[in-house]
Amino acid sequence: MKTTIGVFFGGRSTEHEISVLSACQAMAAINKEQYDIVPVYISKQGHWYTGPEFTVTENYRNIDKLLENAVEVYMRPVYGDYKLYPTRSKGLFGSPKPVAGLDVVIPVLHGSNGEDGNFQGVLQTIGIPFAGCDTLASANGMDKITMKMILAAEGIPVVDYVWFTDKQWSADSDTLTAKIENHLGYPVIVKPANLGSSVGIGCASNREQLREKVADAARYSTRIIVEKMVRNLQEINCSVLGDCDNYETSVLEEPVKSGEILSYMDKYLGGEKTERGMQAARKRIPADLPADETERIRYLAGETFRVLGCNGVSRVDVMVDGVTREIFVNEINTIPGSLSFYLWEAAGVPFDKLIDRLIKLAFKRKREMDGKTVSYSSNIFALGGGIKGAKGSKLK
């Protein structure tokens, strides 16, 4: 019997289209003799749809037409119910007939409301096995501020930074500006704390540019991070596959950027017209680095994956100072563009086998979590406990 995979993608995110590209690549690579695929497209308005049309990238050129024949669906937040139900039932009475039953989920949701732990929380509530990081690891990996705090506490090198909320900036931008100038100096990189794909990121070389870039970042996030800019920057990426107790690292890539920082266009629209997604971006694989630097980067990527408690496939992006050759971890992508399949292909793991590994990891984690105690069978109320308050007064 085939395993049924629910592939969830799209979502309420600035990276919506990139998620569609990554998901279509993954669905095309899945071994159809071994798995049945149920695509679940999440619209920009947050509605869930399914249908065979959602597996083909070209169909997304006209979303309205694509949705005409689609079935809008939902999952009940009931532990153990892995079915997709139609939002509009054809019958007048009784429960709606399920559209499909899922065995496992592969989330291919990039950015907010999908990669940040929100969606993973839904899946954990239902109890269905799913590939990738859990709620905690997703949230910590997505938020650049929290991530850097955790990594720095574990001795993993990150660049100096200052962080604040949009309300703090509005209330006292002068004090925060002085803190940035005294602690970091110029130039700096300004980022929304919880977005990816270079959205909302900008360089600032003076006070006027700083205010401009913070205003832009605040359009996307309530939390903003300002980092010291690494001079003569060399960006290197490394993928990690496994779980936090048993993982391996891929070959390294060096993305080719068109400006000071790697842009959205560089990442996703840099290839031929027939290619899109991270695999289409201009890059050097393997990265041309000395052996000791290669091993150091692979070590730091693995440590980042381990410390954050990751699972599945992630991509860790590091920065190398071109003069001092210091190496800093920049960020982790817990659902990387194109699932970083091209880095694993370069390491001898075809895309369909990468999917196999993700499915096995999902079921492994499910088995391990099912062995943990999450509640007690005894009822303290039936035993007379918990009736009185802490000071002996009766509950009212």
Side-chain angles (χ1 to χ4, degrees), residues 89-100:
S89 178
K90 294 181 180 179
L92 295 177
F93 305 100
S95 302
K97 183 179 179 181
V99 173

Side-chain angles (χ1 to χ4, degrees), residues 123-176:
L123 299 178
Q124 287 183 247
T125 298
I126 295 170
I128 189 169
F130 65 95
C133 292
D134 63 12
T135 302
L136 179 63
S138 298
N140 287 335
M142 188 69 185
D143 189 279
K144 295 176 175 65
I145 299 165
T146 305
M147 180 203 67
K148 289 180 187 294
M149 289 177 176
I150 295 171
L151 297 185
E154 291 295 314
I156 297 173
V158 297
V159 296
D160 290 339
Y161 64 93
V162 171
W163 76 273
F164 46 86
T165 67
D166 55 351
K167 290 183 175 59
Q168 286 177 310
W169 180 263
S170 297
D172 197 2
S173 61
D174 289 341
T175 298
L176 288 170

Side-chain angles (χ1 to χ4, degrees), residues 26-245:
M27 288 187 287
I30 291 173
N31 185 338
K32 311 305 187 295
E33 295 182 0
Q34 187 174 357
Y35 303 105
D36 286 326
I37 304 169
V38 178
V40 183
Y41 168 71
I42 304 177
S43 72
K44 292 183 179 181
Q45 293 72 40
H47 296 263
W48 297 11
Y49 300 92
T50 191
E53 304 86 0
F54 290 103
T55 61
V56 182
T57 310
E58 288 72 20
N59 291 341
Y60 292 86
R61 292 172 180 170
N62 188 332
I63 295 295
D64 292 337
K65 183 178 180 181
L66 178 59
L67 298 182
E68 282 180 3
N69 298 318
V71 179
E72 187 173 353
V73 295
Y74 68 95
M75 293 186 79
R76 299 195 306 156
V78 177
Y79 189 84
D81 188 349
Y82 301 169
K83 299 180 180 68
L84 286 172
Y85 296 92
T87 58
R88 295 176 180 83
S89 178
K90 294 181 180 179
L92 295 177
F93 305 100
S95 302
K97 183 179 179 181
V99 173
L102 308 179
D103 296 313
V104 64
V105 168
I106 299 182
V108 193
L109 292 154
H110 301 319
S112 303
N113 303 305
E115 193 175 355
D116 55 9
N118 287 348
F119 182 70
Q120 290 75 9
V122 173
L123 299 178
Q124 287 183 247
T125 298
I126 295 170
I128 189 169
F130 65 95
C133 292
D134 63 12
T135 302
L136 179 63
S138 298
N140 287 335
M142 188 69 185
D143 189 279
K144 295 176 175 65
I145 299 165
T146 305
M147 180 203 67
K148 289 180 187 294
M149 289 177 176
I150 295 171
L151 297 185
E154 291 295 314
I156 297 173
V158 297
V159 296
D160 290 339
Y161 64 93
V162 171
W163 76 273
F164 46 86
T165 67
D166 55 351
K167 290 183 175 59
Q168 286 177 310
W169 180 263
S170 297
D172 197 2
S173 61
D174 289 341
T175 298
L176 288 170
T177 298
K179 182 178 181 180
I180 291 166
E181 291 176 341
N182 293 332
H183 185 61
L184 305 178
Y186 294 109
V188 293
I189 304 292
V190 182
K191 304 176 180 179
N194 56 0
L195 292 183
S197 294
S198 301
V199 175
I201 295 178
C203 304
S205 298
N206 53 54
R207 186 174 297 185
E208 181 180 353
Q209 290 179 359
L210 174 65
R211 295 180 184 275
E212 175 188 329
K213 300 304 180 183
V214 170
D216 186 45
R219 293 171 52 207
Y220 301 99
S221 177
T222 60
R223 286 155 60 87
I224 298 157
I225 184 169
V226 180
E227 300 173 349
K228 185 177 182 63
M229 186 173 179
V230 176
R231 298 282 191 173
N232 302 295
L233 172 64
Q234 186 177 15
E235 297 182 63
I236 304 294
N237 301 336
C238 178
S239 184
V240 188
L241 175 63
D243 58 39
C244 59
D245 294 310

